[in-house]
Amino acid sequence: MAEEKKKKSIDAASLQMIAKACSEEINLSFDRAETMKPCPIGSVGSCCSNCGMGPCRVPLPKGKEETPEENKKRRGICGATAETIAARNFTRMIAGGAAAHSDHGRAVAELFIAAARGEAPGYEIKDEQKLLQLALDIGVEIGERSNQEIAIDVGEKLLAEFGRQDGEILFLKRAPLKRQELWRKEKASPRGIDREIVEIMHRTHAGVDQDYHNLLQQGARAAIADGWGGSMIATELQDILFGTPAPLLGSVNLGVIKKDEVNIIIHGHEPLLSEMIVAAAQDPEMIKIAESKGAKGINLAGMCCTANEILMRHGVPLAGNFLQQELAIVTGAVDVMVVDVQCIMESLANISQCFHTKLVTTSPKAKIPGALHIEFDEHDAIRSAKEVVKTAIENFPKRGKNIRIPDEKTDLIAGFSHETINYMLGGIFRSSYHPLNDNIINGRIRGVAGVVGCNNARTPHNEAHIAMVKELIKNDILVIQTGCSAMASAMAGLMVPEAAADFAGKGLASVCEAVGIPPVLHVGSCVDNSRILVAATAMVKDGGLGDDISDLPVAGAAPEWMSEKAISIGQYFVASGVFTVFGVTWPTIGSEELTSYLFNDFERIYGGKWAFEPDPIKAAHLMIDHIDKKRKALGIDKARERVLYDMEMRRELDAV
Ligand code: SF4
Ligand code: MSK
């Protein structure tokens, strides 16, 4: 009997496009995941290719437990143990992820300075209050100086964080004091952002660091440099330059593509160009040209994290998440897909050729053979943006007849920045996390979970995200989300206030209804995971829930992760004191000793630890158990039991 084919997605729109691609013999990532199985040695971290004597493969013995003697024999040509090899691979994944986020942060800082100097026409400071707050935080003088002068100093000071050689990166001071001390004690405080990434590449070179404890300590340091450094710089400066997100209505899924308008899909991560494309697409001159070509207008939609950036600030609809990028083109109605950096599949070039779609690359760091390259020039960004829009307009009449756009699209409320949550919970004059902490203490909200990360073609698209998030909110856990995971929940209708009554437990639903928020909050893109660190710190500072992030009843997860960035994010959450569970696969299983170190011993060092559980419901319960453990340690577990005391019981209590 033929093996039953694995479900590829749980999303109806995606399934329609997968079927269309199949009937047109278009090869998708879903198909390649079926025909190409992961390497069983590499996927568990047991293959090293760090020098020309390898690759060396050190697989676990098949079908039996490894004895210490057998473990000793598992060595590369240079003598590297299975533990060293797995640790080097894992740490290099952190370096890759931290580099991606941090290079994004650097690009934002450079544009920020250019904008403040008046050298980047079209960009201006949108959030003056946040600029002044940030200046105070990092010790930039305000006095009688103009916003431009302050912004130049803020930008230059933060840009210097990348090349800093000693001391500590500035944003570490935002963390709870206890956490800062712990990082210092463990020598995990980053000195500079680039330095920690470079040091990983050095230490993992053949013949350098061969103690996995030491390698993982540097991995933690580089990951902290990502979360509390590069990513946080990106988020802060983007908010000041493009506006701090506030709640707005959006829509999500392939149904946002329009049949009678010029469709431009903006895909990637950095919002620098996409902000300008949003402006260019609204230009009356552009709309007129589009109409002259027979289109009813210009329709922008986002893909992956660029989508989240322009949704959060402009309400631009989301066409889809990571595994829907090929599917958008399969509709036949995308006139231009414009990309910058990260999470862009090379297959887009081939698939575009099956339709009239033009794939446009814009970053000198990310070119794709077969794509049209329109380089983004920050000093003349509106020109670059108009060129992209014009290319799409010119392409509109070339659409073939092979068009099918799924009807599916779902509403969501996005825009939950840290500032918004603070304001919504506490009100304009007393903005604070106090009501959240209170509701956690009284047990209406059991805890908070960050569910983030990608899609992975090795597991059904969106299935684990939605199952996990539903299980968490059903158990009164408030969920905050970023990246492709946020889009998955939005597609399932979990990001509207009505979802509280439909899916949340009674306690969580009552709070959501009182405040007017959904039970699942969209806080932004991958770099915006830094907002979660800021929110967790605000919870600690508000009081009543311990004196460190590791005391909070919170947990994190990436149930469908695939990117090295997800590993870096997970590692900075763990190193910040958060229990973090990943699904799909785990890249160190080839070394039991190393895996046990990450899954157990890390908690003793950082107060947070990793876990791996591919079943999303079981993973949700690992998170809930952890949250309950923290509630107990805080002495607030009793509140959740909501015992109704009669008079006699009260008298007994008073007598104690
Ligand atoms: Fe093999 Fe060692 Fe070279 Fe890695 S560094 S490929 S384990 S010889
Ligand atoms: S886009 S890193 S697939 S979340 Fe940020 Fe999605 Fe993961 Fe890319």
Side-chain angles (χ1 to χ4, degrees):
M1 203 173 80
E3 196 190 327
E4 199 193 330
K5 285 213 166 174
K6 222 172 145 194
K7 185 169 36 171
K8 292 175 177 169
S9 174
I10 60 159
D11 169 55
S14 301
L15 288 171
Q16 287 168 45
M17 289 304 102
I18 291 169
K20 181 173 186 286
C22 181
S23 67
E24 292 166 20
E25 295 186 358
I26 296 171
N27 188 256
L28 299 173
S29 54
F30 296 95
D31 306 311
R32 294 187 291 276
E34 255 176 17
T35 51
M36 183 172 52
K37 296 295 164 212
C39 165
I41 303 171
S43 64
V44 297
S46 295
C47 176
C48 177
S49 59
N50 291 10
C51 87
M53 294 189 284
C56 297
R57 286 156 298 158
V58 290
L60 277 165
K62 267 191 191 147
K64 55 175 179 148
E65 277 209 1
E66 185 184 36
T67 63
E69 289 67 39
E70 282 167 329
N71 178 265
K72 278 191 196 125
K73 287 187 216 144
R74 292 171 62 208
R75 287 177 185 267
I77 290 174
C78 66
T81 62
E83 285 59 52
T84 299
I85 289 173
R88 285 200 297 224
N89 289 333
F90 186 73
T91 313
R92 279 200 171 191
M93 290 181 91
I94 295 172
H101 285 147
S102 299
D103 217 28
H104 171 164
R106 184 198 328 269
V108 177
E110 285 172 343
L111 175 66
F112 187 88
I113 296 168
R117 286 189 182 138
E119 294 164 0
Y123 298 101
E124 56 185 29
I125 304 296
K126 292 252 173 64
D127 190 336
E128 184 187 327
Q129 205 185 337
K130 189 153 183 169
L131 170 69
L132 300 181
Q133 184 57 55
L134 181 57
L136 283 175
D137 284 358
I138 63 171
V140 166
E141 189 199 331
I142 295 178
E144 298 298 310
R145 302 167 81 211
S146 69
N147 281 348
Q148 275 62 33
E149 287 171 307
I150 296 167
I152 291 170
D153 282 2
V154 164
E156 285 180 345
K157 205 159 180 185
L158 291 179
L159 185 62
E161 291 290 271
F162 295 93
R164 183 197 261 272
Q165 297 303 322
D166 48 31
E168 286 177 7
I169 57 170
L170 290 167
F171 284 154
L172 292 198
K173 292 208 170 52
R174 290 181 159 186
L177 279 176
K178 204 170 161 187
R179 183 72 9 198
Q180 295 178 40
E181 282 159 17
L182 184 154
W183 287 334
R184 272 174 215 130
K185 181 172 133 275
E186 296 300 331
K187 296 198 170 34
S189 306
R191 296 153 292 184
I193 298 164
D194 292 352
R195 178 168 187 171
E196 307 311 347
I197 297 165
V198 168
E199 191 165 316
I200 286 185
M201 298 314 285
H202 177 195
R203 287 205 206 183
T204 55
H205 183 278
V208 187
D209 198 352
Q210 290 153 67
D211 175 341
Y212 71 81
H213 308 86
N214 209 39
L215 280 161
L216 293 178
Q217 174 257 344
Q218 180 59 18
R221 183 151 56 171
I224 295 167
D226 172 355
W228 296 86
S231 285
M232 202 171 275
I233 290 172
T235 297
E236 296 289 296
L237 297 184
Q238 284 172 184
D239 281 356
I240 296 170
L241 206 49
F242 307 133
T244 301
L248 43 66
L249 180 68
S251 56
V252 61
N253 216 338
L254 294 166
V256 304
I257 296 171
K258 293 187 177 160
K259 195 164 185 174
D260 45 10
E261 295 192 18
V262 175
N263 288 306
I264 304 174
I265 306 282
I266 315 179
H267 175 22
H269 279 76
E270 297 176 355
L272 313 184
L273 174 64
S274 52
E275 281 284 324
M276 284 297 150
I277 294 179
V278 173
Q282 290 164 359
D283 184 327
E285 184 203 331
M286 289 289 142
I287 296 172
K288 221 167 144 189
I289 306 176
E291 285 168 350
S292 75
K293 301 281 177 190
K296 287 204 172 140
I298 302 170
N299 180 42
L300 291 187
M303 183 68 65
C304 279
C305 279
T306 296
N308 289 322
E309 299 281 6
I310 50 180
L311 163 78
M312 297 278 283
R313 298 192 177 91
H314 303 287
V316 172
L318 306 165
N321 51 8
F322 178 67
L323 281 179
Q324 290 175 295
Q325 56 185 288
E326 296 174 316
L327 306 180
I329 296 178
V330 172
T331 62
V334 173
D335 301 301
V336 154
M337 180 174 277
V338 54
V339 303
D340 52 26
V341 290
Q342 301 167 25
C343 303
I344 298 147
M345 291 192 191
E346 193 169 341
S347 59
L348 296 180
N350 280 345
I351 298 176
S352 296
Q353 279 163 18
C354 303
F355 299 90
H356 78 301
T357 307
K358 276 202 165 34
L359 178 67
V360 177
T361 53
T362 56
S363 168
K365 295 172 196 161
K367 295 190 177 180
I368 303 176
L372 172 70
H373 189 71
I374 301 178
E375 193 145 315
F376 168 55
D377 174 5
E378 66 191 33
H379 301 291
D380 197 3
I382 197 73
R383 186 201 52 78
S384 313
K386 280 189 174 172
E387 201 178 332
V388 171
V389 175
K390 272 188 197 153
T391 304
I393 295 172
E394 296 298 331
N395 208 25
F396 174 78
K398 297 181 191 153
R399 268 191 208 171
K401 297 252 174 291
N402 180 13
I403 294 172
R404 187 166 153 216
I405 304 168
D407 292 332
E408 283 76 9
K409 58 178 176 180
T410 313
D411 284 347
L412 78 150
I413 306 286
F416 291 95
S417 54
H418 154 69
E419 289 80 357
T420 293
I421 299 173
N422 210 12
Y423 162 70
M424 288 198 79
L425 289 169
I428 195 160
F429 299 114
R430 290 180 299 115
S431 54
S432 83
Y433 276 63
H434 203 62
L436 174 66
N437 285 19
D438 266 358
N439 279 302
I440 291 174
I441 292 165
N442 70 27
R444 281 193 196 96
I445 296 178
R446 193 164 179 172
V448 181
V451 182
V452 307
C454 325
N455 299 130
N456 185 317
R458 302 265 175 224
T459 193
H461 167 238
N462 284 358
E463 184 178 61
H465 288 301
I466 294 167
M468 173 182 280
V469 170
K470 281 187 175 168
E471 189 65 17
L472 289 168
I473 60 176
K474 188 174 95 186
N475 282 282
D476 292 317
I477 311 279
L478 177 69
V479 174
I480 46 184
Q481 293 202 270
T482 60
C484 293
S485 186
M487 292 189 234
S489 292
M491 283 178 226
L494 301 175
M495 288 188 165
V496 286
E498 306 82 68
D502 295 342
F503 299 104
K506 272 192 187 149
L508 175 61
S510 68
V511 177
C512 291
E513 277 154 25
V515 183
I517 53 171
V520 184
L521 303 180
H522 192 327
V523 304
S525 65
C526 293
V527 292
D528 291 337
N529 283 306
S530 62
R531 296 190 200 277
I532 302 179
L533 298 175
V534 173
T537 305
M539 287 169 71
V540 172
K541 291 187 176 164
D542 212 88
L545 294 174
D547 53 9
D548 190 10
I549 296 173
S550 59
D551 296 330
L552 296 172
V554 301
E560 298 180 27
W561 77 279
M562 65 86 202
S563 159
E564 288 174 329
K565 290 179 289 171
I567 293 288
S568 181
I569 293 165
Q571 182 60 75
Y572 71 64
F573 274 104
V574 167
S576 300
V578 180
F579 170 70
T580 303
V581 54
F582 271 35
V584 194
T585 181
W586 183 253
T588 69
I589 285 175
S591 165
E592 286 170 7
E593 189 176 325
L594 174 74
T595 303
S596 166
Y597 186 67
L598 293 168
F599 288 7
N600 301 305
D601 304 355
F602 250 37
E603 191 166 36
R604 188 177 36 76
I605 305 168
Y606 294 108
K609 64 178 178 180
W610 287 96
F612 167 55
E613 174 50 69
D615 180 323
I617 303 295
K618 284 188 190 156
H621 281 278
L622 290 178
M623 296 161 84
I624 294 167
D625 290 349
H626 175 82
I627 282 169
D628 284 349
K629 190 175 89 182
K630 292 295 171 185
R631 293 188 66 86
K632 192 163 187 202
L634 289 165
I636 56 172
D637 52 325
K638 297 285 177 286
R640 259 198 74 73
E641 288 168 15
R642 305 242 187 91
V643 180
L644 291 174
Y645 289 92
D646 59 24
M647 283 315 288
E648 194 175 339
M649 287 162 81
R650 282 183 195 280
R651 272 194 291 273
E652 268 173 32
L653 269 182
D654 290 344
V656 174

